[in-house]
């Protein structure tokens, strides 16, 4: 899918409805593989994937008091006893139907569809997920819009849990070993305070490693190290609808690099976002069918910025409305990515 010219183009794959290329002035600003097969063999770190059926961590890998019972999920969060990003084979590891060319909100786009069956990765109920990508050029900027929609379509139960986001790793200094020198501006410095297992305590606090909202800071080769959920809407437990697509977009983050002149701005209707400086990232080396070697990539070689609901929102009664999906309801969200070169 092209944004009118080959130097500003997008490529998507059916596996995970993932983003393989996001090109700006000829530069791909997402970490990726040149061949689709590597996403099945070398992608434990979720490069470009659509994350689901839930995002981020679920405490103790359990869903308590859902449909009047408990559900056990896969434990896959390193040393922590949590379930992460939908389980061992979340939606990013599944093959979606598509791409299908569609018109979406008056624009040319593509559609991916995935039917997640009752019991997949331990989650109850059959749900249908749609992912829509629309891309184009606006004011000399490459613009990608991602829209998600999920409905409970099976009759196995009356409610389930849902959360969807994109897990691209952005690098606005393509080819560099780390994101050192990247200038970051976040839309908030409020975050979900975490316990020792990276589960929210329920408190929203000021993050000590970043300046106030709208104030820029620069990443070094090692600092700051961040893997936290930042809160745009502190009233989300009472104000956030299950489907946020009708809400206004707000700017959650911008990143740029003075050495390349590349910029990325991310806006979303979601009440929070995970910001990860990828200090645990490792992408193993590979070799293409033509014998071309792809070098390994290590920690801090990209930045993940994931629009989302609160972490483990089903685990807290007062947060459940953000992720509990019932029959006849829709879960939805919308995010816009704008990139350009000086």
């Amino acid at each position: 899918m092209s944004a009118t010219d080959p130097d500003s183009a997008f490529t998507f794959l059916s596996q995970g409805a993932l983003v393989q290329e996001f090109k700006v002035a000829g530069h791909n600003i997402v970490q990726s593989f040149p061949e689709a097969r590597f996403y099945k063999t070398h992608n434990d770190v979720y490069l470009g994937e659509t994350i689901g059926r839930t995002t981020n961590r679920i405490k103790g890998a359990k869903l308590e008091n859902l449909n009047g019972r408990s559900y056990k999920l896969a434990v896959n969060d390193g040393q922590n006893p949590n379930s992460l990003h939908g389980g061992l084979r979340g939606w990013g590891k599944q093959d979606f139907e598509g791409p299908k060319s569609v018109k979406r909100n008056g624009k040319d786009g593509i559609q991916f569809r995935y039917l997640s069956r009752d019991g997949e990765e331990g989650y109850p109920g059959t749900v249908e997920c749609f992912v829509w990508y629309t891309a184009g050029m606006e004011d000399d900027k490459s613009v990608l819009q991602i829209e998600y929609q999920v409905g409970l379509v099976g009759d196995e139960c009356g409610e389930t849990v849902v959360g969807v986001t994109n897990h691209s790793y952005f690098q606005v200094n393509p080819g560099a070993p780390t994101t050192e020198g990247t200038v970051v501006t976040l839309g908030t410095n409020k975050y979900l305070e975490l316990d020792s297992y990276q589960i929210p305590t329920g408190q929203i606090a000021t993050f000590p490693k970043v300046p106030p909202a709208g104030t820029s800071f620069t990443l070094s080769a090692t600092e700051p190290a961040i893997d936290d959920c930042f809160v745009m809407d502190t009233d989300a437990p009472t104000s956030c609808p299950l489907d946020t697509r009708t809400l206004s977009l707000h700017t959650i983050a911008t990143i740029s690099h003075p050495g390349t002149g590349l910029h990325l701005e991310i806006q979303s209707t979601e009440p929070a976002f995970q910001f990860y400086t990828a200090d645990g990232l490792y992408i193993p080396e590979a070799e293409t069918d033509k014998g071309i070697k792809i070098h390994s990539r290590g920690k801090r070689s990209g930045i993940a910025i994931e629009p989302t609901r609160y972490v483990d929102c089903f685990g807290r009664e007062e947060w459940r409305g953000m992720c509990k999906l019932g029959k006849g309801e829709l879960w939805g969200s919308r995010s816009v990515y704008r990139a350009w070169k000086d």
Side-chain angles (χ1 to χ4, degrees):
M1 183 178 190
S2 174
T4 73
D5 73 78
D7 284 339
S8 300
F10 302 88
T11 305
F12 310 99
L13 298 180
S14 294
Q15 180 187 319
L18 63 81
V19 179
Q20 184 184 25
E21 282 189 312
F22 187 151
K23 293 181 73 175
V24 183
H27 301 279
N28 185 16
I29 64 168
V30 295
Q31 290 287 6
S32 64
F33 292 108
E35 296 176 2
R37 63 187 176 95
F38 294 124
Y39 288 92
K40 294 186 180 294
T41 59
H42 289 63
N43 195 22
D44 292 339
V45 294
Y46 313 100
L47 291 185
E49 292 182 355
T50 299
I51 301 299
R53 173 178 309 199
T54 55
T55 62
N56 220 302
R57 294 169 173 88
I58 293 181
K59 181 180 179 180
K62 290 181 181 178
L63 298 172
E64 303 280 5
N65 301 316
L66 180 65
N67 297 305
R69 53 163 291 191
S70 298
Y71 296 87
K72 183 73 174 121
L73 309 175
V75 177
N76 66 324
D77 187 22
Q79 300 301 311
N80 298 319
N82 308 316
S83 191
L84 177 67
H85 291 334
L88 296 172
R89 287 187 54 80
W91 289 359
K93 306 293 189 251
Q94 306 297 333
D95 290 325
F96 282 59
E97 295 177 9
K100 176 183 178 182
S101 296
V102 295
K103 281 285 188 181
R104 192 71 186 166
N105 301 317
K107 297 181 179 180
D108 291 330
I110 60 171
Q111 173 186 290
F112 290 96
R113 173 185 176 271
Y114 180 63
L115 195 67
S116 179
R117 299 288 182 180
D118 175 53
E120 182 180 272
E121 290 295 327
Y123 289 93
T126 298
V127 301
E128 182 180 42
C129 173
F130 287 99
V131 181
W132 290 285
Y133 292 113
T134 56
M137 296 294 293
E138 298 178 8
D139 299 323
D140 295 321
K141 298 178 180 179
S142 298
V143 181
L144 173 67
Q145 178 167 291
I146 305 177
E147 182 183 350
Y148 299 117
Q149 177 181 294
V150 184
L152 179 59
V153 296
D155 296 323
E156 302 89 357
C157 61
E159 56 189 17
T160 190
V161 177
V162 167
V164 190
T165 192
N166 178 267
H167 204 295
S168 291
Y169 289 88
F170 298 100
Q171 171 61 289
V172 288
N173 188 16
T178 73
T179 53
E180 181 178 10
T182 298
V183 178
V184 178
T185 307
L186 301 183
T188 180
N189 65 347
K190 302 299 182 184
Y191 84 115
L192 297 179
E193 188 179 74
L194 301 177
D195 66 17
S196 60
Y197 296 113
Q198 292 189 281
I199 296 297
T201 63
Q203 299 299 310
I204 296 175
T206 298
F207 193 76
K209 297 181 181 180
V210 302
T215 305
S216 299
F217 60 98
T218 301
L219 300 181
S220 75
T222 58
E223 295 292 336
I226 305 172
D227 187 9
D228 289 273
C229 185
F230 289 82
V231 178
M232 296 294 296
D233 183 2
T234 57
D235 295 324
T238 57
S239 66
C240 178
L242 191 60
D243 187 345
T244 67
R245 287 176 292 176
T246 60
L247 300 182
S248 298
L249 290 164
H250 41 249
T251 302
I252 62 174
T254 61
I255 61 174
S256 63
H257 197 284
T260 64
L262 291 170
H263 300 254
L264 173 68
E265 175 192 74
I266 302 175
Q267 296 182 309
S268 183
T269 59
E270 291 290 78
F273 62 96
Q274 188 78 10
F275 188 87
Y276 177 39
T277 50
D279 294 83
L281 182 65
Y282 177 71
I283 306 168
E285 65 178 15
E287 186 173 317
T288 70
D289 290 336
K290 295 182 179 179
I292 300 172
K293 286 196 173 182
I294 307 165
H295 295 294
S296 64
R297 286 154 281 180
K299 63 181 182 180
R300 298 178 75 87
S301 57
I303 305 167
I305 306 169
E306 310 154 48
T308 188
R309 310 291 159 95
Y310 290 10
V311 179
D312 190 41
C313 57
F314 190 78
R316 305 190 72 87
E317 186 67 37
E318 64 272 26
W319 294 358
R320 287 189 170 194
M322 288 188 274
C323 64
K324 187 171 72 172
L325 177 67
K327 291 287 289 184
E329 296 179 321
L330 291 176
W331 185 101
S333 73
R334 181 169 56 96
S335 297
V336 176
Y337 302 74
R338 290 184 176 88
W340 66 97
K341 182 176 172 61
D342 288 336

